[in-house]
Amino acid sequence: MEARTDHSADPMFWENMFGGLSNAEFFWRDHYTFLEEKGYTLRPRYSPDWKPSWLSTKRKPIECEDGQPPFRVTTMQATRISDGRVVVLKQIWEEDTPTEVDITRFLCDKRNTSDPENHSVFFYDVLHSPIYDVSFLVMPFLMRVHDIRFATVGEVMECFRQVFEGVRFLHHHLVSHRDVQILNIMMDPMPLISEVPHPVWEHRSFVDPERRIKRRIRTDHPVRYYIIDFGLSRKFSPGEPHVAPIVFGGDKSVPEYKTAPGDCDPFKVDIYHLGNMFREDFMQECLSLNFMQPLVDQMTRERPNDRPTIEEAMQQFEQLLVSLSYWKLRSRYVYRDEVLGRPFRAVRHVLRTVRWILTRASAIPTHQAIASAA
């Protein structure tokens, strides 16, 4: 949600200066000093004293670190002054998602964070804007699951297992997410990358954009996956009927949405969302997961009562996982958009497989540091 103030008259506004700030970016400039006082430093672009580095030079804004906005402005990378850790600040407009902070706090209390099945994103701090009715969640730096490609079927199955585990944890604690989709499934990328990437130049360092990021493979460096964004979520009380007004998440294909406005069972919507995410964002994007089709078909049935519970769905998934052969799990995860590079990737995969066999690397790269982030 953009800041509710018009900055079009400001000389730093993008229409007044090439490479300038969008209206939504002024929100961060207005909070730069406040956040610095709280211990977090934003990019120089958002400093009130910002002097664009390309002015009086022949360089273009696109060539300069401070000349490009991030792709999303509701979240922003920052540096924690105390230790130099790169964190992410998420702005939460309380009039839009009034329960998000409370549900996130509940999922991240001491009792729940100690549970290894809890894949809800945690936070370091909650700050409150002195200007707007806005809270900032200070969270760890995470990346989208497809930002670094999967190498094997086993790597994808471990991702699915953790997501199943995370949704089961939510449902056991009577929390329906109501917006399970690929944009809300993230991973801690630090085992896979040499350092945090720049928000615009994804292959370069956030600390030093001149330095390129080195990437690794999940089989060698297992990762932990997280469920984020509880803005639409609903927490129920014990014994309370699982009925709530229909709210539209990112996936608009849910059969229940056809009856809106009205009520639905949000836990059954979660099941549909989860199955449809597996189908649209994995199975339709690769050539390696046809064996998931029967389970996905059950999870996305038209009638909510015909869908399995999360416990039933995960039990079927675990049975399926056990039935897969060692070589199937080791097989290469083949993306449909591969064209010219497919023969090279196939040869590279054979060499990797030989190494994994010799080193006895697990075909399912379970995260070894299960609570390292916490």
Side-chain angles (χ1 to χ4, degrees):
M1 183 67 67
E2 296 190 2
R4 283 74 179 212
T5 304
D6 182 12
H7 293 276
S8 59
D10 194 292
M12 292 295 185
F13 189 63
W14 68 274
E15 289 185 344
N16 304 327
M17 181 186 71
F18 186 49
L21 304 177
S22 68
N23 200 59
E25 287 183 282
F26 278 95
F27 172 92
W28 296 102
R29 191 190 73 169
D30 293 344
H31 287 87
Y32 185 94
T33 301
F34 163 75
L35 292 171
E36 192 171 48
E37 291 172 350
K38 294 296 183 179
Y40 303 96
T41 303
L42 300 176
R43 292 169 59 198
R45 178 179 177 85
Y46 303 112
S47 170
D49 302 321
W50 177 46
K51 293 180 175 56
S53 62
W54 64 88
L55 297 183
S56 302
T57 72
K58 295 183 179 181
R59 302 177 71 187
K60 300 177 181 178
I62 197 173
E63 300 174 314
C64 302
E65 189 284 330
D66 62 340
Q68 300 185 71
F71 298 116
R72 298 182 66 210
V73 293
T74 53
T75 59
M76 191 66 62
Q77 286 179 216
T79 301
R80 189 162 62 185
I81 297 172
S82 62
D83 58 4
R85 177 185 290 271
V86 178
V87 298
V88 173
L89 306 176
K90 179 183 181 182
Q91 56 174 259
I92 298 176
W93 293 83
E94 295 176 6
E95 65 180 280
D96 299 324
T97 55
T99 63
E100 181 169 4
V101 172
D102 289 340
I103 290 179
T104 306
R105 281 187 188 276
F106 166 73
L107 295 170
C108 296
D109 66 21
K110 289 183 178 180
R111 180 184 58 185
N112 288 330
T113 52
S114 63
D115 190 331
E117 292 197 357
N118 185 3
H119 291 267
S120 310
V121 66
F122 64 93
F123 61 89
Y124 299 115
D125 200 357
V126 179
L127 309 175
H128 300 282
S129 167
I131 305 172
Y132 303 106
D133 192 16
V134 170
S135 295
F136 296 94
L137 279 181
V138 184
M139 303 185 298
F141 172 78
L142 302 175
M143 287 175 63
R144 305 205 185 282
V145 297
H146 284 304
D147 283 351
I148 297 178
R149 289 199 161 194
F150 293 91
T152 71
V153 170
E155 291 182 359
V156 178
M157 296 303 281
E158 171 60 12
C159 173
F160 288 0
R161 188 194 67 78
Q162 291 192 39
V163 175
F164 264 120
E165 196 172 62
V167 174
R168 183 173 67 177
F169 177 89
L170 294 179
H171 287 196
H172 279 186
H173 288 77
L174 301 179
V175 175
S176 58
H177 188 279
R178 302 210 284 184
D179 195 18
V180 178
Q181 54 155 314
I182 194 63
L183 297 180
N184 289 334
I185 306 299
M186 307 284 279
M187 65 178 177
D188 173 9
M190 298 318 297
L192 302 179
I193 54 178
S194 54
E195 52 189 312
V196 174
H198 190 274
V200 179
W201 299 328
E202 60 182 17
H203 295 290
R204 297 188 176 275
S205 167
F206 178 76
V207 176
D208 180 7
E210 296 297 320
R211 196 162 55 234
R212 292 189 65 84
I213 300 295
K214 297 178 182 178
R215 295 190 172 191
R216 309 181 186 100
I217 303 172
R218 291 171 175 85
T219 299
D220 296 324
H221 303 275
V223 300
R224 184 168 175 83
Y225 297 91
Y226 289 92
I227 299 173
I228 69 166
D229 195 351
F230 296 94
L232 298 181
S233 300
R234 167 78 180 268
K235 186 179 184 306
F236 290 79
S237 301
E240 182 181 359
H242 294 171
V243 179
I246 293 172
V247 294
F248 288 85
D251 179 359
K252 302 298 191 297
S253 67
V254 180
E256 290 91 312
Y257 289 176
K258 299 174 185 176
T259 63
D263 295 333
C264 68
D265 181 343
F267 294 94
K268 293 295 186 179
V269 172
D270 282 355
I271 298 298
Y272 180 94
H273 277 156
L274 185 57
N276 201 43
M277 181 188 72
F278 292 155
R279 177 170 57 197
E280 293 192 350
D281 296 294
F282 291 89
M283 296 170 64
Q284 294 179 3
E285 300 296 325
C286 79
L287 303 172
S288 310
L289 298 176
N290 292 338
F291 56 84
M292 285 286 295
Q293 193 65 54
L295 175 56
V296 167
D297 287 345
Q298 290 184 50
M299 296 175 69
T300 56
R301 284 171 175 163
E302 186 81 11
R303 289 166 48 89
N305 290 336
D306 291 339
R307 299 170 201 155
T309 64
I310 188 60
E311 196 69 52
E312 294 167 341
M314 187 165 183
Q315 184 178 18
Q316 291 185 51
F317 172 79
E318 290 174 337
Q319 292 172 351
L320 177 61
L321 185 58
V322 170
S323 73
L324 296 178
S325 71
Y326 172 86
W327 294 110
K328 181 61 178 178
L329 294 169
R330 276 275 185 242
S331 64
R332 191 168 75 86
Y333 188 74
V334 182
Y335 289 85
R336 292 184 185 275
D337 62 2
E338 295 180 12
V339 184
L340 299 178
R342 186 170 294 177
F344 165 76
R345 292 186 178 94
V347 172
R348 182 178 61 182
H349 181 72
V350 170
L351 298 177
R352 284 173 174 169
T353 301
V354 171
R355 176 171 59 82
W356 291 330
I357 293 173
L358 293 175
T359 58
R360 298 184 179 180
S362 174
I364 302 176
T366 304
H367 49 92
Q368 296 170 345
I370 197 166
S372 60

